[in-house]
Amino acid sequence: FEKIKEKKILIIDEIQVLEDIYINGEKELLKEFLNFCVALTKETHLSHVVILTSNTIFLNRIYNDAKLKATSIFELIDHPSIQVAKKLLKDLEYNDEQINLILEYFGSAISYLLYTYTMVKPTDSIDKLKEFLEKEKLNALNQIRDLFRRKKKYNLAANAKEKFLKLAKDIVKIGEFRLDDNEDEELMDVIDVFCEKEILFFDPQTGIITPNSRIYLKAMEDLINGA
């Protein structure tokens, strides 16, 4: 870094993979690396550092790290707007009926939109598209149910499903679930696991929980309605 004279930016993606790794069984690798990043930016001024993670529970942990909070700017990189998603689908030559149906299930999550294109072409029938989208919704619902079936594996309480339904009803009704100071630990455990599995998204700056993508919202609707 000292030898490079141009402006420098170090980008670290999916930094959560460093979690729970220890150096010689003592020093936590993640903490040592974050200390290095602070030294690189605030002490030596050799580089900017951009750290990315898709794991929101991990993000919550580092967001509340006192040293990072004092030296860093946290930014949410969300899905693009519906307008951007519509333009992408239009450019892929889907018609308006197809576009509206895809957005109903996947919202503006680009990875899902591109995945749709690999599975169902614009020239395919609307019935084939509906069948594909319903199958994806069922997959999302089964992901949720599987976590209930494996409660012991994830150290969840026996009433994990009831706890999840509490927040799912708010999410389906108003689009989000807001944490308050009185949430019990069993619910927080459920939130942690569902965020780890990227079914839910937790914003540590606001305490707001939302589906990680619209397909999970559709799955929650079915779960609440007993499908």
Side-chain angles (χ1 to χ4, degrees):
F1 277 97
E2 289 173 343
K3 289 178 181 179
I4 300 171
K5 300 304 179 186
E6 293 80 9
K7 290 182 179 179
K8 299 170 286 289
I9 302 176
L10 174 63
I11 300 174
I12 308 295
D13 194 14
E14 301 296 359
I15 192 175
Q16 73 273 5
V17 299
L18 299 183
E19 195 171 25
D20 299 325
I21 298 176
Y22 292 84
I23 306 169
N24 299 325
E26 297 177 359
K27 293 182 178 180
E28 191 175 0
L29 178 58
L30 176 62
K31 186 172 289 185
E32 293 300 307
F33 180 75
L34 293 176
N35 287 338
F36 165 73
C37 290
V38 172
L40 200 62
T41 57
K42 298 299 180 182
E43 296 172 12
T44 63
H45 305 287
L46 288 174
S47 175
H48 295 291
V49 177
V50 177
I51 294 174
L52 304 168
T53 179
S54 59
N55 185 318
T56 56
I57 295 304
F58 171 80
L59 175 61
N60 186 45
R61 176 188 164 191
I62 63 172
Y63 175 74
N64 287 298
D65 182 288
K67 183 179 288 188
L68 283 181
K69 210 163 189 176
T71 60
S72 308
I73 298 172
F74 284 78
E75 293 287 349
L76 170 64
I77 304 174
D78 206 347
H79 298 304
S81 67
I82 288 294
Q83 288 71 26
V84 169
K86 281 184 177 179
K87 184 178 185 309
L88 170 64
L89 293 171
K90 202 78 172 175
D91 290 344
L92 292 173
E93 300 184 349
Y94 288 102
N95 61 42
D96 288 343
E97 183 182 11
Q98 292 170 320
I99 290 172
N100 290 335
L101 193 57
I102 294 168
L103 294 178
E104 169 63 23
Y105 281 76
F106 289 146
S108 58
I110 294 297
S111 59
Y112 281 105
L113 304 186
L114 296 177
Y115 173 58
T116 300
Y117 186 70
T118 67
M119 302 301 292
V120 183
K121 299 302 181 188
T123 52
D124 291 330
S125 69
I126 194 72
D127 287 338
K128 182 176 180 179
L129 178 60
K130 287 178 180 177
E131 182 182 356
F132 163 74
L133 294 170
E134 280 293 313
K135 183 179 178 181
E136 289 303 306
K137 181 177 70 170
L138 181 59
N139 286 340
L141 182 57
N142 283 333
Q143 287 178 49
I144 294 172
R145 285 174 170 159
D146 190 60
L147 293 179
F148 299 146
R149 297 185 194 108
R150 301 173 187 270
K151 293 188 288 288
K152 289 184 179 179
K153 178 180 178 180
Y154 297 105
N155 297 315
L156 294 176
N159 62 348
K161 183 175 181 179
E162 289 72 21
K163 294 295 181 181
F164 181 81
L165 285 173
K166 173 187 174 180
L167 65 89
K169 287 175 182 177
D170 269 10
I171 288 173
V172 168
K173 185 177 179 180
I174 62 175
E176 63 185 35
F177 178 82
R178 289 179 175 266
L179 289 176
D180 61 39
D181 295 337
N182 300 314
E183 303 299 353
D184 60 72
E185 288 190 19
E186 290 177 348
L187 176 62
M188 294 306 300
D189 289 342
V190 169
I191 291 169
D192 283 357
V193 169
F194 276 80
C195 286
E196 290 279 359
K197 296 299 180 181
E198 298 187 11
I199 292 170
L200 297 175
F201 178 85
F202 173 58
D203 185 340
Q205 297 182 92
T206 62
I208 293 175
I209 297 161
T210 56
N212 201 44
S213 63
R214 186 168 174 79
I215 195 67
Y216 292 113
L217 174 62
K218 301 287 287 182
M220 287 180 210
E221 290 173 350
D222 279 7
L223 187 70
I224 289 170
N225 293 326

